[in-house]
Amino acid sequence: MDAQRIAVDALVALTDCDRDAAVAFIRRFYLAGIKDPKRLTFKGLQAMRA
């Protein structure tokens, strides 16, 4: 859960996006098996860019 929190905080800080949207993206990747905060943040940034 700590990895999710770190990634969400980073994503919100970097993109100024909606926190709920960031949580949804990160949770989906976390449940898919990505547990590294840096990787979650990178995936989240990719998703928010699209």
Side-chain angles (χ1 to χ4, degrees):
M1 293 304 269
D2 200 38
Q4 288 183 59
R5 183 186 52 77
I6 292 168
V8 168
D9 289 345
L11 192 59
V12 170
L14 292 170
T15 64
D16 197 33
C17 67
D18 179 49
R19 189 166 198 76
D20 292 331
V23 168
F25 280 118
I26 297 303
R27 185 168 293 144
R28 184 174 18 159
F29 294 126
Y30 188 84
L31 293 175
I34 301 172
K35 306 295 186 198
D36 178 38
K38 290 179 186 175
R39 189 78 174 138
L40 285 170
T41 302
F42 178 72
K43 289 288 194 183
L45 287 171
Q46 285 181 322
M48 294 304 284
R49 183 190 73 189

